[in-house]
Amino acid sequence: MITDEQWANLLETRATDPGAVRRAYQARRRRTSLLNGKSTLFLVAADHPARGALGVGGDPLAMADRRSLLARLLTALANPEVDGVLGTPDVIEDLLLLDGLNERVVIGSMNRGGLAGADWEIDDRFTAYDASSIAAFGLDGGKMLLRLVDSDPGTIPTLEGCARAVTELAEHGLMAMVEPLPYKRDHNDKLVLQKDSAALSRASAVAAGLGATSAYTWLKLPAPDEPEVVLDTTALPALVLGGVPSERPEDDLASWGRSLRHPTVRGLVVGRALLYPPDGDVAAAVAAAAEVLRTARGITV
């Protein structure tokens, strides 16, 4: 999807014409609504590299090749059932310069300071987009990661930062996408996601209450084993996240499908599981996810 000429032009523009980035933001044709005509939203996520999370499966540097990542994103975006992308400024701006984001929903990732594996990982500072830049650049909303670890005081500034971002995005009338994930440290001090219904419900309740208003808040949640328990926690709209891909893509699809049937869920936000499928066929992985979304929501083509 990216020719040698396109890649050379991107590199040349990056080196010689930084003003092209702002012009690309201004020239982007925006979509008129977050939800599509089927009242769903399907986004591809690509904000992992900015947090130092480059690995997929057994390859610790899978996402380190930027040309490959961009090509995979453009392949996903070529599917008309994909509504848009979620990413940090560097990725979004590369895609803008490649003319890949017209009529697409674009969500800016905001806090990437909790570097994967760092001692301060849970103190997830806001180091990417902020609410004012998201509004100024004409993006459609901002996403924040909220990892909740009761034994780690780094949770406190992250909570405060997310609450501030929710309020500031709402002041601009923009979506605030909050991804609340409950974690605990195991005996090796490794962070482990808590997937039980009690932990996920608690995290959802905390995230829903952040900020001065919840009018523009959406939740980005892992597919729970008991969707009806976790997703009944709030009336806010939710999106199912892909999470760390398993070795069996069919299991991931089935898990997403169970949650997509819940009335508060509006769609999917998936990254590595679609961009780096085991067989390498990005287009097929995206098409399979789109089919699961259609089926779960009772949409006929």
Side-chain angles (χ1 to χ4, degrees):
M1 293 283 291
I2 299 179
T3 66
D4 289 345
E5 181 180 8
Q6 288 174 313
W7 184 244
N9 288 339
L10 175 62
L11 298 183
E12 181 70 12
T13 299
R14 281 297 206 176
T16 64
D17 187 11
V21 171
R22 181 170 291 275
R23 295 195 299 274
Y25 276 121
Q26 294 171 340
R28 184 176 79 90
R29 298 190 303 277
R30 293 182 67 178
R31 202 164 85 169
T32 57
S33 65
L34 286 172
L35 295 174
N36 56 36
K38 305 178 185 68
S39 198
T40 60
L41 183 62
F42 182 7
L43 301 176
V44 179
D47 59 346
H48 309 81
R51 202 175 68 79
L54 300 172
V56 182
D59 185 354
L61 294 177
M63 300 189 78
D65 186 324
R66 181 50 57 93
R67 181 173 176 176
S68 173
L69 173 60
L70 293 172
R72 292 164 185 268
L73 283 166
L74 290 172
T75 297
L77 288 164
N79 187 315
E81 296 188 73
V82 174
D83 295 293
V85 66
L86 183 160
T88 47
D90 57 326
V91 174
I92 297 300
E93 290 163 5
D94 283 345
L95 291 171
L96 283 169
L97 293 171
L98 290 166
D99 197 29
L101 295 179
N102 285 314
E103 306 293 341
R104 298 293 187 175
V105 173
V106 181
I107 305 298
S109 188
M110 303 177 76
N111 59 325
R112 298 279 87 189
L115 302 185
D119 290 343
W120 68 87
E121 182 172 351
I122 299 306
D123 186 349
D124 207 341
R125 302 295 176 97
F126 282 64
T127 56
Y129 286 110
D130 56 23
S132 61
S133 62
I134 288 170
F137 293 148
L139 303 189
D140 301 291
K143 173 255 180 177
M144 59 216 74
L145 175 59
L146 176 59
R147 285 165 296 185
L148 301 167
V149 183
D150 288 355
S151 62
D152 193 321
T155 296
I156 300 169
T158 305
L159 270 169
E160 184 179 22
C162 289
R164 186 181 307 112
V166 168
T167 299
E168 292 173 352
L169 286 166
E171 289 172 352
H172 292 286
L174 294 169
M175 172 204 267
M177 183 189 297
V178 186
E179 180 181 358
L181 299 177
Y183 276 86
K184 284 187 177 180
R185 294 190 182 275
D186 65 13
H187 61 282
N188 293 318
D189 206 34
K190 180 181 178 180
L191 289 168
V192 179
L193 177 63
Q194 303 302 293
K195 299 181 181 180
D196 61 280
S197 296
L200 290 173
S201 294
R202 178 177 183 256
S204 299
V206 169
L210 292 176
T213 177
S214 63
Y216 294 90
T217 302
W218 289 53
L219 300 182
K220 179 173 180 267
L221 300 169
D225 291 335
E226 297 178 294
E228 68 285 353
V229 175
V230 176
L231 295 167
D232 280 351
T233 303
T234 173
L236 295 180
L239 297 167
V240 175
L241 65 90
V244 178
S246 71
E247 296 179 358
R248 289 170 50 85
E250 59 270 28
D251 292 344
D252 293 333
L253 291 169
S255 175
W256 304 339
R258 288 192 294 272
S259 294
L260 286 167
R261 289 190 286 271
H262 193 277
T264 62
V265 175
R266 292 292 180 156
L268 284 167
V269 184
V270 186
R272 293 168 289 183
L274 300 185
L275 296 174
Y276 297 87
D279 64 1
D281 192 338
V282 176
V286 171
E291 173 63 24
V292 167
L293 177 56
R294 285 197 308 272
T295 301
R297 304 300 294 181
I299 299 168
T300 57
V301 180

